[in-house]
Amino acid sequence: RLLLIYKYFGLQQYSQDLINDRRWYFKSLGIFHYKVLDYKIKKGTIKPFLKSSNKYLRSNALIAYISLSDEKFGILDNYSEKLSRVDEMKILDIIYQKQSEVPPNIAIWLKSQNESIVLLAIKLMIRYKTKLTFPKITYLLRHDDSLVRKETLLAVRELHIEEANDALKKYYLKETNKRNKISCLKTMQVIGDESLETFATQLLEKESDFDIKFETVKLLYKIAPNTLENTTDNEIVQKILLHIKSPYLS
């Protein structure tokens, strides 16, 4: 009914005139009209702007195009432009608001050459509480992009994928990014079990970085608290334990 009124008063031509304007912000306004009206037939008009050299116009076109798309969201399969943080949040919201199942082509997104698409896929799996398989976890933990590896660790933690313990041990030994190492230990604290005791004990003995040592003690405190009594670095460990047991201790 709204579309009929829109057409009857000639507003369709007004939107088209905006899109034909040379200025990107008028083009974006016309695209916005199609988006809010859910004017799906106009996807073809929007599509050329997905490759615009103007990042703002390109972003607005992408969000509108996804909003007007079906639940497969195929436009993201081969999308090569980097998604901004804002775009990422908007796309997540659109997909979630459509109340669809997890997009069937998410497996393609996880293997995308575009790191921002991979990150989007991982966050979707967390939101939909869809577990990553073991092969996907190992693949993503070997990714060149440190943010992808960090987001994968978060997914394992949030989704409580306990079978990932072995993969995390192997990953930790190869990781060079300190923040990711700490994130790995935090994930182990959530999903870890006694099988990590030897790994954590050896790490505690050889690790000199205090932040990593702190997280290692927290891990051992969870999975094998008795082991901490026999550590060779007992004075430091006891101080860390005081903070673990009393987090507000200064």
Side-chain angles (χ1 to χ4, degrees), residues 191-213:
I191 68 166
D193 54 32
E194 294 83 357
S195 66
L196 294 174
E197 181 179 353
T198 301
F199 164 82
T201 302
Q202 292 175 348
L203 180 62
L204 184 61
E205 292 176 354
K206 70 178 183 180
E207 184 57 64
S208 58
D209 185 284
F210 183 80
D211 293 327
I212 293 178
K213 190 182 286 286

Side-chain angles (χ1 to χ4, degrees), residues 228-245:
L228 293 171
E229 298 176 3
N230 303 317
T231 178
T232 57
D233 207 0
N234 194 56
E235 184 179 352
I236 293 177
V237 169
Q238 292 307 314
K239 289 180 179 179
I240 293 174
L241 279 173
L242 281 175
H243 282 273
I244 293 172
K245 295 175 182 178

Side-chain angles (χ1 to χ4, degrees), residues 70-77 102-110 121:
D70 59 21
E71 295 180 355
K72 293 182 180 179
F73 310 103
I75 188 62
L76 295 174
D77 290 358
V102 60
N105 37 355
I106 200 166
I108 297 174
W109 302 350
L110 287 171

Side-chain angles (χ1 to χ4, degrees), residues 153-170:
L153 292 168
L154 179 60
V156 171
R157 191 188 317 165
E158 292 293 322
L159 299 172
H160 291 266
I161 308 175
E162 296 178 358
E163 57 270 29
N165 277 312
D166 286 340
L168 293 183
K169 283 192 292 186
K170 294 176 182 177

